[in-house]
Amino acid sequence: MLLAMLIHTIVQLSVTAQQNLTPFGIASQSTVYGGTLSNPNNAILPPISNDFDLNICSHTADGSDPSADWWMFQFSFELAYITDITIYYRTEFAYRMDGFKLYVTNTSAIPPNGYLCYEDSDPGLPNITQNIPCYKSGKYVIYYDTTGDEFFGPVVELCYVAINGCPKGMWGPNCTESCSSICIGKQCYPENGSCIWGCDPQRCVNGRCDTHTGTCIDGCVTGWVGQSCICGKCNMCK
């Protein structure tokens, strides 16, 4: 298990996101099929595959709730800005994915009441491997299904999920760069570090702040110094 977790930590998928964040949190689901087997955390551990086994995939109990089944991931830190989510569903069981929804939320409420990243509404069966752009900050990612199997109702069978992006306040290829403190909420886009909600103009001369760089266009007002006007003159900027 330790080896699997170490491997998982360094896994980087070839997508546009900055880092796979699933090593930094825990998963839960509505029910568990087969007792201790099909644990929800199976879906965030290697292997990265659609091949099904109760020891390596999550699986909710068949027919346990005719209205909805769900799988949920909670980050261990305050918030993350998510760029995209990759799902590997069970091979040959695409019909159980039919009609699924993917949410990013700030609460664990079920039904989810946050941002709907994706809803499978197209005719025909969905692909069992999907990369879904999201571009949203949140605390939870929820896979939610109210359709599923015509015989058993909703069933969730996820073999691997990668949630890509950066923790709040960080950006860059491995989320090693800090967002500018002048960004509102210290939140910036993982790809380029530009401020998500704009930047705080109170420290800027003429109130002019560049939302892309988080710097004051005309310089800092009296009492603030530094490239982003984040240091008080009475304090040494290190």
Side-chain angles (χ1 to χ4, degrees):
M1 178 61 72
L2 178 59
L3 178 60
M5 292 182 69
L6 288 173
I7 294 172
H8 181 227
T9 302
I10 63 173
V11 165
Q12 293 291 320
L13 300 182
S14 297
V15 293
T16 59
Q18 308 310 300
Q19 186 179 30
N20 179 10
L21 299 175
T22 53
F24 311 108
I26 57 172
S28 58
Q29 61 191 30
S30 48
T31 56
V32 177
Y33 179 86
T36 58
L37 297 175
S38 62
N39 188 292
N41 285 301
N42 288 349
I44 58 174
L45 293 171
I48 302 173
S49 170
N50 302 96
D51 295 336
F52 181 78
D53 186 286
L54 286 175
N55 292 302
I56 60 175
C57 299
S58 73
H59 191 316
T60 56
D62 296 342
S64 59
D65 185 345
S67 61
D69 265 10
W70 52 267
W71 178 92
M72 181 188 304
F73 180 83
Q74 178 181 358
F75 294 106
S76 58
F77 35 75
E78 180 188 1
L79 287 172
Y81 190 86
I82 298 162
T83 56
D84 58 279
I85 300 167
T86 303
I87 294 172
Y88 292 79
Y89 203 84
R90 179 181 181 178
T91 300
E92 298 180 354
F93 277 75
Y95 62 90
R96 286 185 170 175
M97 289 182 77
D98 207 17
F100 82 93
K101 299 176 182 178
L102 193 64
Y103 290 87
V104 171
T105 74
N106 289 318
T107 74
S108 58
I110 297 293
N113 59 4
Y115 177 74
L116 179 62
C117 285
Y118 180 81
E119 179 177 5
D120 175 53
S121 57
D122 294 334
L125 298 179
N127 294 325
I128 58 171
T129 301
Q130 298 203 23
N131 179 248
I132 299 170
C134 196
Y135 298 101
K136 189 68 176 178
S137 61
K139 177 76 173 176
Y140 301 86
V141 171
I142 303 174
Y143 179 103
Y144 189 69
D145 187 9
T146 58
T147 307
D149 191 318
E150 64 176 313
F151 298 106
F152 297 106
V155 179
V156 177
E157 298 170 293
L158 298 171
C159 289
Y160 191 76
V161 177
I163 302 169
N164 303 295
C166 282
K168 176 186 174 182
M170 307 301 293
W171 71 281
N174 295 302
C175 303
T176 55
E177 302 291 333
S178 294
C179 299
S180 171
S181 295
I182 209 170
C183 290
I184 294 174
K186 203 179 179 183
Q187 293 194 56
C188 66
Y189 290 106
E191 297 94 337
N192 56 27
S194 61
C195 302
I196 294 174
W197 308 114
C199 46
D200 185 354
Q202 296 183 55
R203 302 176 189 175
C204 302
V205 172
N206 301 321
R208 298 181 66 206
C209 179
D210 188 322
T211 59
H212 295 290
T213 63
T215 59
C216 294
I217 297 170
D218 299 324
C220 308
V221 297
T222 302
W224 296 96
V225 296
Q227 183 178 9
S228 298
C229 304
I230 61 174
C231 300
K233 281 188 176 180
C234 295
N235 299 314
M236 293 296 292
C237 295
K238 298 181 180 180

